[in-house]
Amino acid sequence: MPSDPTSHPTSHPATRPTTHSASAPVPDPLSASTGYLGLLRNREFTGLYAGSTLTVAASTLSGFALGTLVDEQTGSPFLTAVSMYGATFATVLGALTLMSLADGGRPRRTVVLLQLASLAGVAAQAVPGLPLAVRFALLLLLGFFQSLGTGARLGLLCEVVPTSAYASARSLMNITSGGTAILGYAVGALLLRCASPRGVFVIAACLTALGAAVVAATVREHSVRLTRRPGLRQTWRTNAELFAHPGRRALLLALWVPNGLVVGCEALFISYDPGHAGTLLAAGSAGMLLGDLTVGRLLSAAARRRHASTLRLLLAAPFLLFAVHPPAPVLAVAVFLAGAGFAATLPLQEQLLELTPEAIRGQVQGVESAGRMTWQGLGAVIAGGLAQCLGPGTAITLAAAASLAVTLLIRPSRPPRREQPL
């Protein structure tokens, strides 16, 4: 599973120019009450949304194909799991090195170029007879490019929709990404019955290319940012100042750690009950989709902020039932409710956006996304290690309890005023 305020920041002319490219008209701003259909009438948002969806579909298919290929060649559950989820660990490399590229002067070009780099990596996986060591190296490279692409895409998102429509935009993208991943695994399984993994890699490459073409055709260039020289030094400088701020640091920890530990709980479903693991995973996915829809679309910014703490507790509390081993239907309901708790990321992301200067929104959101994905991988490793020693039921309970403890210890507070640029 996972995969991503009452007052809003305003532009500061002294720090962020407001001029746009003269080659295209500035789109009419969306209102705070804009719904999903209203967002989709925005050509640029639709381009980013479609490009993101195609990228998720391609990533899901290529990951499934690689996992199948590695399982056929090695028979190793560990290597198979790493081949399917190892890219999440590479995302942190992007956050630590070149994430400042997400806030360069030409973000549209950056998104397209990173998408083309991902295309090269996916296409290379289709080469027959490629050694496994090379395939794993390509997997890490893809994770690196995808983390940078996510940061650049989210930075653009903040420019093509107003801050008041940000939660709705992220909600729609989260819902679609979750549904696309579920559908991608189902389609991947069907494709592998009538085609080889190489054929699935080719399809994934075509989807990646289509995603790049859609962004190139629909999103205009936004050269409206501070002049910064992206690179390793700039990335480190911004990251250091990002984590030095108590409010941003608390928000990042609240977005990463509880979420990752709960994903670790879900990673043990097969070990806990192989016969009902599919039901539990489906229940969690359904809860996540419903939670994102409800919180992102039906609740106001004030209501999202008001219920954020409840959602964060809901994320982990139902998993404590695994300690008493209730019937599978009861666990399915519990996992469904916990899945809805993943929607806590929306109000937390809104607060992080409120604390983030406009010139570095891409990098900060890229760091947030990369850290969340990395912690999901770490959560699976932690829960798996506990299960090896104590059994899956006890491991799920302990991981959920740890998630709750972190949630109670970290209570991000609303900033009293807009932060100045880093």
Side-chain angles (χ1 to χ4, degrees):
M1 198 168 309
S3 33
D4 326 320
T6 54
S7 62
H8 306 289
T10 56
S11 297
H12 294 276
T15 60
R16 182 174 187 262
T18 56
T19 57
H20 295 266
S21 170
S23 61
V26 178
D28 293 332
L30 301 171
S31 70
S33 60
T34 298
Y36 293 155
L37 290 179
L39 284 167
L40 293 174
R41 294 189 192 103
N42 180 322
R43 175 184 172 88
E44 291 188 286
F45 171 76
T46 300
L48 285 176
Y49 168 73
S52 175
T53 301
L54 289 166
T55 299
V56 171
S59 177
T60 302
L61 287 176
S62 62
F64 195 80
L66 182 59
T68 301
L69 188 66
V70 171
D71 183 63
E72 290 176 351
Q73 292 186 7
T74 68
S76 168
F78 174 76
L79 290 177
T80 300
V82 169
S83 68
M84 292 185 67
Y85 299 105
T88 61
F89 291 102
T91 60
V92 73
L93 299 177
L96 293 175
T97 56
L98 296 178
M99 191 58 78
S100 56
L101 288 173
D103 292 305
R106 295 186 177 275
R108 169 184 172 273
R109 182 178 64 180
T110 301
V111 170
V112 173
L113 289 177
L114 288 169
Q115 189 83 351
L116 293 176
S118 295
L119 169 61
V122 175
Q125 293 281 18
V127 175
L130 207 62
L132 284 182
V134 176
R135 292 193 183 279
F136 279 106
L138 286 171
L139 180 68
L140 294 176
L141 198 62
L142 280 172
F144 178 77
F145 287 135
Q146 287 170 359
S147 70
L148 299 180
T150 297
R153 189 180 296 110
L154 292 176
L156 264 176
L157 177 67
C158 294
E159 297 184 18
V160 303
V161 302
T163 307
S164 57
Y166 175 80
S168 292
R170 285 299 297 266
S171 170
L172 179 57
M173 295 177 79
N174 290 349
I175 290 169
T176 307
S177 294
T180 300
I182 295 169
L183 184 61
Y185 284 125
V187 172
L190 291 174
L191 287 174
L192 287 170
R193 291 184 179 181
C194 56
S196 65
R198 179 173 176 268
V200 178
F201 283 132
V202 171
I203 294 174
C206 292
L207 292 174
T208 304
L210 182 58
V214 167
V215 173
T218 58
V219 182
R220 64 190 177 86
E221 193 59 273
H222 287 253
S223 300
V224 295
R225 305 177 181 186
L226 286 174
T227 301
R228 296 172 180 265
R229 183 183 294 275
L232 185 62
R233 179 179 297 179
Q234 181 60 43
T235 299
W236 284 1
R237 176 181 176 273
T238 302
N239 284 349
E241 296 187 27
L242 167 64
F243 286 99
H245 185 280
R248 287 189 289 260
R249 185 171 62 244
L251 282 167
L252 289 173
L253 290 175
L255 280 159
W256 291 349
V257 184
N259 181 305
L261 289 169
V262 168
V263 170
C265 295
E266 296 177 338
L268 297 178
F269 285 166
I270 294 177
S271 300
Y272 178 83
D273 188 350
H276 294 96
T279 300
L280 295 177
L281 288 169
S285 298
M288 183 181 67
L289 295 180
L290 182 61
D292 272 326
L293 176 63
T294 302
V295 174
R297 183 65 193 103
L298 301 182
L299 298 185
S300 66
R304 284 193 294 271
R305 190 182 297 276
R306 191 163 57 248
H307 295 297
S309 296
T310 301
L311 288 168
R312 293 173 65 211
L313 294 173
L314 182 64
L315 176 65
F319 281 98
L320 298 178
L321 281 175
F322 279 80
V324 296
H325 305 286
V330 175
L331 288 179
V333 173
V335 172
F336 173 84
L337 294 174
F342 277 111
T345 59
L346 288 173
L348 293 176
Q349 286 166 343
E350 281 185 303
Q351 292 179 59
L352 182 63
L353 187 68
E354 187 176 351
L355 276 173
T356 302
E358 291 157 339
I360 58 164
R361 282 178 170 178
Q363 179 171 343
V364 171
Q365 291 184 96
V367 168
E368 184 272 321
S369 176
R372 188 153 35 88
M373 292 181 68
T374 300
W375 259 97
Q376 288 173 13
L378 289 173
V381 170
I382 292 170
L386 289 172
Q388 194 73 28
C389 301
L390 305 173
T394 302
I396 290 173
T397 305
L398 290 176
S403 177
L404 279 174
V406 173
T407 291
L408 293 171
L409 288 172
I410 302 175
R411 291 185 172 273
S413 58
R414 181 183 175 186
R417 60 181 176 84
R418 171 71 187 275
E419 289 296 310
Q420 296 302 312
L422 296 176

